[in-house]
Amino acid sequence: MSLVLTVDEVVWNDHVERARSVAGRDALIPVVKGNGYGFGRAWLAGHSVKLGATTIAVGTVHELSGTSGLGAAVVVLTPSLDGDLANLPDDTVLTVGSAAQAAHLVDQQCTAPVVVKLQSSMRRHGFTLDELSDPDVRSRLDRVDVVAYAIHPPLAGDDAAHVAEIEHWLAPLDGHGPASIDVSHVSVESFAALRDRHPGRRFRLRLGTAMWHGDKSMLHLGADVLDLRPVARGTLAGYRATPVPGDGHLVLIGAGTATGVTLLDGGLSPFHHARHRLTLLEAPHMHTSMAFVPAGDPLPDVGGVVDVQRPLTMVTPDRVVWVR
């Protein structure tokens, strides 16, 4: 069984190179967090370094394994209250976004460089202007090595709104040292324009989905067809002895929850064949999913592949196949 991510190598490489070129290679922070956007976190980290990245970004301190020691600084995007922040790999850069988190870094005698996160309209992590101006907060931040400020707008809204949020913070950051300003959720074109409008500041762009997935036309997620079983209406099958809804075939698909393949919102099947959504007999299980194809409908071949509709940030392909 296999869940397979197939990538058009030439188109993908061209897309990634264009993002690097427009944003500026020295200003780009490739994000390799989570499952590595379907490519695998360790592989994507290594590939980013091969492309010349001097800084990459992961999600949490628990994602440092396999991504540190590659020759690039590794920014941990999510603030941590982990109890052992003093013994992280030397290339780690931590993020702090609240007074409690700043106090924890000081208490841990953490010497790692730090990115200070500023609050955006997402209102997740990040200091407000009042908090950043608080003497106690400033005292704690003065005791760590602040190398950047970070602004993380929401996905909602357009580039213009996101850039406006970023520029709203520029004046308040005057006098807060030479640290760079790390931004996200803006296109490479809008980032380049932002940088050109403010030549006296150093901006860096954190880029994940837009860099590795683009419009997804160069990517295909599929799963092996392991077997076909003819069945009659009312036959009981599956883990839950579910009655088969009609005459036809059970299609045994080599993908399931072990690789992140689950039902879509609304309980829809994630599998497609011949432009038809395949009906599942029951929800996917760990390594095999059972679909039902009514008699007369197009059947996939044993050893063939059916399409899988799942976000690439939520699956772990067994294989990544590069085609030219």
Side-chain angles (χ1 to χ4, degrees):
M1 59 78 64
S2 290
L3 180 68
V4 182
L5 174 62
T6 303
V7 187
D8 186 321
E9 183 174 7
V10 174
V11 177
W12 188 82
N13 283 336
D14 287 347
H15 168 78
V16 170
E17 181 54 36
R18 180 182 179 280
R20 295 174 65 228
S21 177
V22 175
R25 292 171 178 80
D26 60 334
L28 190 61
I29 302 177
V31 179
V32 302
K33 65 184 180 180
N35 68 341
Y37 294 86
F39 295 92
R41 188 169 60 245
W43 182 88
L44 203 57
H47 186 71
S48 298
V49 174
K50 288 179 181 178
L51 291 176
T54 57
T55 302
I56 61 176
V58 298
T60 73
V61 293
H62 307 292
E63 294 182 357
L64 291 168
S65 176
T67 58
S68 61
L70 300 177
V74 186
V75 178
V76 178
L77 296 175
T78 305
S80 177
L81 294 177
D82 191 274
D84 190 20
L85 296 182
N87 295 296
L88 297 173
D90 292 340
D91 51 15
T92 303
V93 180
L94 294 173
T95 295
V96 59
S98 73
Q101 294 159 9
H104 184 65
L105 291 182
V106 172
D107 292 345
Q108 286 279 303
Q109 299 182 334
C110 180
T111 59
V114 171
V115 173
V116 175
K117 196 158 192 175
L118 307 173
Q119 189 171 106
S120 74
S121 59
M122 185 155 53
R123 306 189 189 283
R124 192 169 63 173
H125 304 295
F127 291 97
T128 65
L129 180 56
D130 287 344
E131 290 169 338
L132 195 63
S133 303
D134 182 272
D136 289 339
V137 171
R138 292 306 322 171
S139 174
R140 292 188 177 100
L141 293 180
D142 287 343
R143 295 168 67 181
V144 296
D145 179 19
V146 177
V147 296
Y149 292 90
I151 307 167
H152 189 60
L155 287 172
D158 57 16
D159 266 12
H162 298 167
V163 169
E165 283 204 49
I166 294 164
E167 292 184 321
H168 174 76
W169 270 103
L170 297 186
L173 290 179
D174 286 341
H176 283 286
S180 70
I181 301 172
D182 297 349
V183 302
S184 55
H185 293 166
V186 295
S187 68
V188 290
E189 292 82 5
S190 292
F191 173 78
L194 171 70
R195 186 180 54 195
D196 291 345
R197 279 199 304 277
H198 304 280
R201 297 184 183 272
R202 183 188 179 210
F203 291 96
R204 299 188 299 182
L205 176 62
R206 301 187 304 258
L207 208 59
T209 302
M211 181 169 182
W212 305 125
H213 290 170
D215 64 5
K216 296 192 178 79
S217 61
M218 56 203 158
L219 308 170
H220 175 262
L221 190 64
D224 293 342
V225 176
L226 304 179
D227 203 358
L228 300 175
R229 297 285 175 144
V231 287
R233 177 188 296 273
T235 302
L236 301 182
Y239 276 97
R240 297 177 178 82
T242 302
V244 174
D247 296 340
H249 285 80
L250 293 177
V251 181
L252 307 187
I253 302 169
T257 56
T259 48
V261 177
T262 60
L263 295 174
L264 302 177
D265 291 345
L268 293 176
S269 163
F271 301 108
H272 296 255
H273 174 66
R275 299 184 178 274
H276 289 84
R277 188 183 301 276
L278 295 177
T279 299
L280 284 174
L281 185 70
E282 59 186 8
H285 282 270
M286 287 191 71
H287 299 103
T288 303
S289 298
M290 300 180 71
F292 170 72
V293 174
D297 282 5
L299 273 174
D301 295 324
V302 174
V305 173
V306 295
D307 300 329
V308 180
Q309 179 189 357
R310 285 291 295 162
L312 290 177
T313 54
M314 297 182 182
V315 296
T316 306
D318 298 296
R319 301 198 315 271
V320 178
V321 176
W322 299 86
V323 297
R324 297 179 67 90

